[in-house]
Amino acid sequence: MTETIVSSTLAARAETAIKIYGHGDTEVHALRGVTVGFERGQFTAIMGPSGSGKSTLMHCMAGLDRLTSGETYIGDTTLSQLSDKNLTLLRREKVGFIFQSYNLIPTLTAKENITLPLDLAGSDGDQAWIDEVITTTGLGDRVSHRPNELSGGQQQRVAVARALASRPEIIFGDEPTGNLDSRTSAEILDFMRRAVRELGQTIVMVTHDPVSASYSDRVLFLTDGQIVDEMSNPTPETVFDKMKTLGD
Amino acid sequence: MIKTTLKSIRGHLGRLVATAAAVILGISFLAGTLIFTDSVQKAFDDLFATVFETTDAQIRSTETINAGFGFEVRGRISETVLADVRAVEGVAAAEGFVQGTATVIDSQGDPIGNPGQGPPTFGFSWSDDAELNQFTISQGRSPAGPGEVVLDANTTEVGGYAVGDSVTVLATSGSESFELVGVAKFGESNSLGGATTALFELRVAQRLMEAEGQLDAVSVRGEVGVSQQALVDAISPVLGDGVEAITGAEATADSQDQIATALTFINVFLLAFAGIALFVSAFVIYNTFAILIAQRTQELALLRAIGASRLQVVGSVFLEALIVGLVGSALGVLFGVLLSNGLSAMLDAFGVDLPSGGLVVGSSTILVSLIVGTMVTLVSAVFPAVSASRIAPLEAMRQSAAEAPKPSKARLAIGAGMVVLGGIALLVGLLQPRLDLAGGGVAAMFIGVFVLGPAIARPVARLLGAPIARTRGVTGKMARENAMRNPKRTARTAAALTIGVALVAGVTVLASSLATSIEDVVGQQFVGDVVIDSGSFGPGGGFSPDLTRQIGELDQVETVASLRVGLAEINGDGDFIVIVDPAVVFELVDPGLLEGQPADLTETSIFLLDTKADALGVGLGDTLSLRFLDGVIRTLAVAGVYEEQAFFGNYTISQGLYESTGAEQLEFVAYVQLADGASVSDATRAIDERAAAYPNVTVQDRQEYIESQSAQLDQMLGLIYGLLGLALIIAAFGIANTLRLSVIERTREIGLMRAVGMTRGQVRSTIRWEAVITSLFGALLGIVLGLFFGYAIIYALRDQGVSSFSVPVVPLAVVVLLAAVIGVLSSLLPARRAAKQNILDAIG
Ligand SMILES: Nc1ncnc2c1ncn2[C@@H]1O[C@H](COP(=O)(O)OP(=O)(O)O)[C@@H](O)[C@H]1O
Ligand SMILES: [Mg+2]
């Protein structure tokens, strides 16, 4: 009984996720048994010092990399059992991913970049939804421009819109505002929060910045490959205080 | 700087391998050609050195006629000379020889060898003087009387014969059966350099070669202590006019020179293809260096920023090119050894059989290959290197290598200008004719297209990619965008293919137009019903006039007219002449007489082709002096001028005249007009029966004959395609190379695509279609150029009976398809690499 409840309310989860890079002397334990679930319609922030395993967790949960042991799920799907091909299809249909930089294909227009996952699947998608997503980016007729004609903030908004386009189960962002100034950053975070609140999306985002984290519903703290703490309804101050205690 | 260069080479090793591959391919063909011709020359040299090893002096006629391409015939001398020579002091032995054509028919009834194209088919007289006769009996005994023959060991085996068997031999006098009484070896080898040899007793040989009372040569052995020169000096006084004595060494050198001349033709032909291969390679090498340097612009700029001079930057690229060029050329020589074996196999497959000995890799071959390969590489690298050094350091560090600046209007103007000027040079060069101008025109057009390419690559790729983008979804669209994003690169990559395709298309158009013209001309000028064809044009091949006589006696046959081919010196220049029977030939073929009447061709007159008449400045009433092998100079009246070369060649004389010169009389073709009411099949059967004794002839009806005339082009075409194939292979390497470099450049992009859901198959498909678009771009440019080349040549030949310009649509479509296939094949490895890339590594 519990399991069905779990899988129906969780967009993605990890169970005792362990990731070890390298062998023998060069072994690095990036994840040391992480168990975590992300509820549908929630905006989660993941924080932690550099090298604590945040990117590794994002990659393994999004199907970009495989765990050494443990399991990750997107909805009901068990990732470890998927072939490369099915993993690719899963990324295309069920997962959105926003990188820190270089998110767009230079030869495609902003609009083509947004619909890329759908185009790769050869499907038209939900046209009304795509129009809504494009409208929310506020790019107007700039959507027919190529990335090199857009500002950094605009490019990142396109990246978020692309992650939304296929109405995925969940969107992962690895420091999506890491390269942006604070004003542009605020714009993107606001956009992401509206995607969760108004469009009902699920977003998990890695960040270093307490202010950024405060846009989320819940903050997870990762240290040395383990989740050490969490916090709901964060504000910049509470997050900052928590970081200080963890840093000690 | 040297250290940095070496580091950089190590860093870019994979990328340089492909550059080296282009050098290797280009040079291996050059080296292969040189090795091949050296080896063949050496095999012949050795052969003749052995032939004349124990001959101290040779006596022969001074009468020779040389028609070029190694076609030389020498007159005969009277056998009475033999007794005179034997009486000379210092002569230990003298033996007379006759030589001619004798085709051996194998036990299945087919002729062995074809004197027109394959190895020679010799008939020799046998000498019992073991030192003057290089043949030794290895089985049975020597030929002693009429009805006896000895064959070389190879021919015996190929023919499926054993001592005691009955062997049919076709000689000038006709077809005859002999008993095989022995098997001979030539020195240690089983044959005389691949030729077939039939040996007869001297009297028999004289009869078969129609040389009664005559000899081709006398070989003389001197007494011990008499030098070759002293022997020649002693013999010379007893010789009559028109007979000379030369030393054994001179005889060797003479024969070797003659072969060398014949080989020059093959050599030049092959070297032309080596040149094409190098030209195409140069484009690939240039392109690779251009991309490598573009990708390293920032690295080079950093070097400049920290104080390296422009010269040092250029120098470092130069050093890299030097190493790649040297290593590539050295490997090219190694591959050349393999290729030279391939070349003989290929020529063999096309009926050109040459003797084989050991491979000769001369130091000049190695030197020439290394120098040419290194020079081509250096020249190809110099332009990108200089332009890289020109970029200001800071600008370079900002600039991204992936996106190229837009091509300028000047480029369009210069490129188009070169294409037009090159085209004019080609036309003028062909019309003059001046081959250097024409060749320069072709090169200028290629370079013009190369300059022009980047300006047109974008729109053309957009157009070519449109159907792919529409049908292949996002992968097709990405492929098109990628082909368009760096037009310079796309155009350069396609350039190598453009050259290959242009040459293939040009040759195809030319061949198709020639074939149509030949069929038209033959169809119009030939009115007979049946043709007996020996398939070998030129002296030494053909069938006996006896067969023609027999066919003439058949009830079904109304008229039969034959053509013979001989050599003569006309006003001092050797050339082929066609010999006809004026009484009948004009009933069967129409040479397009412009002046004179058929009846005007007599034993004291000559007809000639209109263009020859113009060139010599002669017309009706003028005279030409002809020298045949009998040494007599005959003054012949020009009695007719014709316009069609197809049957009558350049010069035509009567059979009566030619027979009076004592030359070997062989028909190479005979045309038959059937009697009223005779059926073609019936007559063909009757003629076949008579011709059964001449397995080297084919009997064809009118239509078959007309078609077979153009079919001869196909053989040549096959050889040329085979050699041009190399250019296409090099082009494929170029495409693979560029794609590989582009894939490296787009690593992050591909990683990102994979992250958002592009499957490996889709990655491969994107790269594959990009290659197809690039190839099609190159192929279409090539087709356009090729059509122009073909048209220019046909236009230049319009006075020579080449009347029609025909564009063979299907073969050209096949060429385009082939180009697409080349694109797909060359994309395989780069695509695989791209698809296998780890996503996170690619993005990181
Ligand atoms: N591909 C890899 N190979 C080896 N070690 C790696 C690799 N990727 C990450 N690591 C190591 O794993 C640990 C966690 O890295 P990461 O997940 O990138 O941390 P974060 O994103 O929190 O900075 C670090 O010690 C890092 O050096
Ligand atoms: Mg990280």
Side-chain angles (χ1 to χ4, degrees):
Chain A
M1 269 313 274
T2 25
E3 270 200 48
T4 31
I5 294 164
V6 165
S7 57
S8 65
T9 59
L10 294 183
R13 64 198 166 94
E15 259 169 29
T16 49
I18 291 174
K19 176 74 181 178
I20 302 167
Y21 289 112
H23 299 279
D25 286 349
T26 58
E27 233 175 52
V28 176
H29 292 252
L31 296 178
R32 298 171 185 268
V34 174
T35 300
V36 68
F38 300 107
E39 268 184 58
R40 287 182 206 280
Q42 252 200 355
F43 188 1
T44 310
I46 296 183
M47 301 196 74
S50 190
S52 57
K54 307 182 293 292
S55 293
T56 304
L57 182 63
M58 295 289 97
H59 293 154
C60 291
M61 297 214 59
L64 288 168
D65 204 352
R66 291 183 190 274
L67 288 174
T68 308
S69 74
E71 191 57 84
T72 54
Y73 304 84
I74 299 291
D76 297 330
T77 314
T78 317
L79 264 52
S80 70
Q81 276 158 22
L82 295 181
S83 65
D84 179 80
K85 167 106 191 205
N86 285 328
L87 212 52
T88 304
L89 298 183
L90 174 107
R91 286 198 302 271
R92 184 195 283 174
E93 287 154 14
K94 301 240 169 94
V95 181
F97 207 101
I98 309 159
F99 297 98
Q100 181 173 346
S101 64
Y102 203 87
N103 270 302
L104 306 181
I105 305 296
T107 48
L108 300 181
T109 65
K111 174 145 194 247
E112 287 165 345
N113 264 289
I114 292 171
T115 56
L116 182 57
L118 295 168
D119 291 339
L120 284 170
S123 85
D124 287 338
D126 178 345
Q127 205 50 53
W129 166 257
I130 290 164
D131 288 344
E132 192 176 351
V133 167
I134 290 176
T135 315
T136 352
T137 62
L139 278 177
D141 49 357
R142 308 219 74 181
V143 289
S144 55
H145 286 228
R146 303 242 169 141
N148 61 359
E149 296 161 329
L150 300 176
S151 73
Q154 285 170 329
Q155 287 186 31
Q156 218 50 348
R157 264 185 276 161
V158 172
V160 177
R162 182 191 57 217
L164 290 167
S166 58
R167 254 196 227 262
E169 199 76 36
I170 187 163
I171 295 171
F172 296 100
D174 194 354
E175 304 186 44
T177 60
N179 265 356
L180 303 175
D181 61 68
S182 55
R183 232 192 66 203
T184 321
S185 184
E187 215 177 274
I188 298 291
L189 289 162
D190 190 55
F191 182 45
M192 287 167 75
R193 185 162 63 187
R194 277 194 292 138
V196 174
R197 298 272 152 81
E198 295 166 23
L199 308 175
Q201 285 295 299
T202 311
I203 298 182
V204 181
M205 159 188 89
V206 169
T207 181
H208 277 302
D209 172 31
V211 180
S212 300
S214 70
Y215 282 79
S216 69
D217 302 316
R218 169 192 182 210
V219 183
L220 295 176
F221 294 91
L222 202 62
T223 304
D224 218 4
Q226 280 174 313
I227 296 190
V228 289
D229 210 341
E230 69 166 274
M231 173 192 291
S232 295
N233 306 316
T235 66
E237 295 72 28
T238 55
V239 174
F240 189 70
D241 289 342
K242 179 67 80 190
M243 280 170 74
K244 270 200 296 192
T245 60
L246 286 173
D248 288 336
Chain B
M1 216 51 204
I2 288 181
K3 240 198 207 152
T4 342
T5 307
L6 292 177
K7 275 232 177 78
S8 141
I9 286 182
R10 222 171 297 133
H12 303 286
L13 199 59
R15 309 177 190 198
L16 285 171
V17 164
T19 318
V23 183
I24 292 169
L25 277 172
I27 289 301
S28 60
F29 202 73
L30 175 69
T33 302
L34 294 174
I35 293 169
F36 172 71
T37 44
D38 280 356
S39 306
V40 173
Q41 180 70 51
K42 170 128 194 317
F44 274 116
D45 285 355
D46 290 353
L47 192 77
F48 289 117
T50 340
V51 171
F52 296 112
E53 200 174 52
T54 50
T55 302
D56 293 323
Q58 200 189 37
I59 295 156
R60 62 186 193 184
S61 166
T62 53
E63 294 300 330
T64 61
I65 291 169
N66 190 331
F69 303 124
F71 274 109
E72 195 192 54
V73 289
R74 188 173 290 275
R76 285 179 170 144
I77 54 177
S78 163
E79 64 181 358
T80 54
V81 79
L82 205 53
D84 299 340
V85 171
R86 280 179 179 148
V88 171
E89 208 169 320
V91 172
E95 285 284 318
F97 291 90
V98 275
Q99 141 182 10
T101 324
T103 306
V104 178
I105 309 304
D106 71 16
S107 53
Q108 307 300 312
D110 296 320
I112 306 172
N114 175 349
Q117 295 144 333
T121 58
F122 291 129
F124 289 126
S125 58
W126 176 265
S127 159
D128 281 322
D129 184 309
E131 286 186 58
L132 289 177
N133 181 357
Q134 299 313 316
F135 286 96
T136 50
I137 298 292
S138 63
Q139 255 184 72
R141 57 174 176 82
S142 54
E148 292 186 358
V149 69
V150 165
L151 298 178
D152 65 277
N154 193 47
T155 307
T156 309
E157 195 195 313
V158 172
Y161 287 123
V163 172
D165 286 352
S166 170
V167 175
T168 304
V169 178
L170 271 178
T172 318
S173 63
S175 167
E176 250 177 75
S177 280
F178 295 89
E179 186 196 344
L180 182 66
V181 295
V183 177
K185 286 199 164 199
F186 181 77
E188 290 297 303
S189 60
N190 285 336
S191 78
L192 200 162
T196 72
T197 307
L199 297 145
F200 308 92
E201 193 262 330
L202 180 64
R203 296 281 157 230
V204 178
Q206 281 176 327
R207 182 175 59 78
L208 291 174
M209 316 303 164
E210 296 190 334
E212 271 96 348
Q214 291 180 311
L215 296 172
D216 280 291
V218 173
S219 293
V220 181
R221 190 154 48 82
E223 276 165 2
V224 181
V226 180
S227 78
Q228 292 196 346
Q229 191 56 53
L231 194 63
V232 165
D233 291 344
I235 294 169
S236 293
V238 309
L239 301 175
D241 276 351
V243 184
E244 63 177 359
I246 55 169
T247 63
E250 280 166 348
T252 308
D254 218 45
S255 304
Q256 290 172 344
D257 285 353
Q258 211 180 324
I259 286 296
T261 319
L263 285 179
T264 308
F265 178 64
I266 296 180
N267 204 357
V268 167
F269 179 74
L270 289 176
L271 281 178
F273 285 95
I276 292 170
L278 272 173
F279 191 60
V280 175
S281 303
F283 277 81
V284 172
I285 298 165
Y286 174 85
N287 192 30
T288 313
F289 270 102
I291 299 173
L292 277 180
I293 289 167
Q295 290 183 348
R296 271 164 50 199
T297 303
Q298 303 191 4
E299 180 189 321
L300 293 175
L302 187 68
L303 282 174
R304 291 266 283 124
I306 60 173
S309 71
R310 273 184 59 181
L311 202 67
Q312 279 174 313
V313 168
V314 175
S316 96
V317 175
F318 240 72
L319 190 63
E320 195 167 317
L322 185 72
I323 293 170
V324 171
L326 277 175
V327 172
S329 310
L331 289 172
V333 174
L334 290 181
F335 279 96
V337 174
L338 297 178
L339 210 80
S340 82
N341 284 328
L343 274 177
S344 24
M346 189 162 147
L347 286 173
D348 196 23
F350 287 102
V352 186
D353 201 349
L354 295 162
S356 56
L359 279 183
V360 180
V361 187
S363 54
S364 68
T365 298
I366 297 177
L367 210 65
V368 166
S369 302
L370 285 183
I371 291 175
V372 170
T374 310
M375 287 307 289
V376 167
T377 314
L378 283 179
V379 170
S380 308
V382 70
F383 295 101
V386 168
S387 67
S389 76
R390 277 220 195 97
I391 301 170
L394 281 176
E395 186 192 337
M397 291 168 83
R398 251 181 283 121
Q399 192 179 313
S400 142
E403 306 298 326
K406 281 216 166 72
S408 67
K409 288 230 162 57
R411 173 180 284 283
L412 206 72
I414 295 171
M418 283 193 77
V419 171
V420 171
L421 286 178
I424 293 171
L426 172 60
L427 270 177
V428 173
L430 283 172
L431 288 174
Q432 292 273 9
R434 272 187 48 200
L435 281 184
D436 51 345
L437 192 63
V442 170
M445 286 185 80
F446 279 135
I447 295 171
V449 166
F450 188 67
V451 173
L452 194 63
I456 56 172
R458 239 181 118 83
V460 176
R462 189 199 310 277
L463 206 70
L464 287 175
I468 296 168
R470 200 164 319 122
T471 54
R472 308 296 309 179
V474 71
T475 53
K477 191 174 156 39
M478 296 281 314
R480 174 163 85 150
E481 291 297 328
N482 285 339
M484 285 166 56
R485 75 200 285 182
N486 193 332
K488 225 178 197 166
R489 179 176 304 180
T490 301
R492 281 175 186 162
T493 308
L497 196 61
T498 300
I499 301 170
V501 168
L503 296 174
V504 169
V507 167
T508 306
V509 169
L510 189 61
S512 147
S513 301
L514 285 179
T516 317
S517 299
I518 290 173
E519 288 182 14
D520 283 357
V521 168
V522 174
Q524 283 163 16
Q525 315 294 315
F526 167 56
V527 294
D529 305 304
V530 177
V531 179
I532 299 102
D533 190 359
S534 71
S536 67
F537 177 88
F543 53 90
S544 163
D546 186 46
L547 176 59
T548 315
R549 264 191 299 278
Q550 288 183 39
I551 291 169
E553 285 160 8
L554 289 171
D555 289 343
Q556 296 96 328
V557 173
E558 169 84 32
T559 317
V560 57
S562 66
L563 300 184
R564 298 175 194 167
V565 178
L567 289 179
E569 226 171 67
I570 300 114
N571 284 0
D573 287 324
D575 203 343
F576 291 100
I577 48 167
V578 173
I579 299 102
V580 299
D581 180 355
V584 289
V585 74
F586 294 97
E587 291 171 32
L588 282 147
V589 296
D590 171 17
L593 271 185
L594 299 171
E595 291 176 74
Q597 297 298 319
D600 297 341
L601 188 60
T602 65
E603 294 195 16
T604 54
S605 66
I606 184 168
F607 281 17
L608 77 167
L609 188 66
D610 56 351
T611 52
K612 275 288 167 193
D614 289 347
L616 293 171
V618 297
L620 284 195
D622 292 329
T623 57
L624 290 175
S625 54
L626 268 75
R627 193 172 62 82
F628 295 94
L629 278 177
D630 58 1
V632 179
I633 293 176
R634 292 171 173 79
T635 305
L636 301 177
V638 173
V641 177
Y642 50 84
E643 61 177 349
E644 293 297 345
Q645 202 178 15
F647 295 95
F648 276 29
N650 291 339
Y651 303 96
T652 301
I653 60 166
S654 67
Q655 277 181 8
L657 170 57
Y658 193 60
E659 279 164 8
S660 73
T661 69
E664 188 181 51
Q665 304 288 325
L666 282 177
E667 325 261 43
F668 93 87
V669 65
Y671 302 107
V672 171
Q673 171 105 62
L674 296 182
D676 280 345
S679 87
V680 172
S681 61
D682 205 31
T684 307
R685 208 170 313 121
I687 294 170
D688 263 333
E689 232 164 74
R690 296 295 138 90
Y694 299 88
N696 61 333
V697 308
T698 51
V699 179
Q700 296 167 310
D701 68 24
R702 179 188 163 78
Q703 197 51 41
E704 285 168 345
Y705 177 67
I706 292 172
E707 279 161 18
S708 74
Q709 289 308 291
S710 60
Q712 290 176 357
L713 278 176
D714 293 345
Q715 200 178 39
M716 190 67 181
L717 202 58
L719 184 62
I720 293 177
Y721 281 155
L723 293 168
L724 284 179
L726 192 84
L728 296 181
I729 292 174
I730 297 172
F733 264 83
I735 297 170
N737 213 0
T738 310
L739 282 177
R740 202 180 131 92
L741 294 173
S742 297
V743 163
I744 293 172
E745 212 165 85
R746 295 184 206 140
T747 299
R748 291 192 72 178
E749 194 176 312
I750 294 165
L752 178 63
M753 302 280 287
R754 293 271 292 124
V756 300
M758 184 179 250
T759 62
R760 290 195 164 135
Q762 283 174 316
V763 172
R764 285 194 294 266
S765 157
T766 306
I767 292 164
R768 189 162 56 237
W769 287 110
E770 178 184 352
V772 169
I773 293 172
T774 306
S775 305
L776 286 180
F777 172 70
L780 287 180
L781 273 186
I783 295 268
V784 172
L785 279 177
L787 284 176
F788 177 75
F789 293 161
Y791 180 77
I793 296 174
I794 298 296
Y795 182 76
L797 289 177
R798 72 196 185 290
D799 285 342
Q800 258 120 77
V802 182
S803 43
S804 50
F805 176 66
S806 112
V807 177
V809 177
V810 174
L812 290 182
V814 169
V815 171
V816 174
L817 202 71
L818 187 74
V821 171
I822 285 177
V824 171
L825 288 180
S826 56
S827 77
L828 289 182
L829 274 180
R832 232 172 81 101
R833 254 179 93 98
K836 268 172 54 182
Q837 229 161 229
N838 178 294
I839 301 173
L840 291 172
D841 289 348
I843 289 173

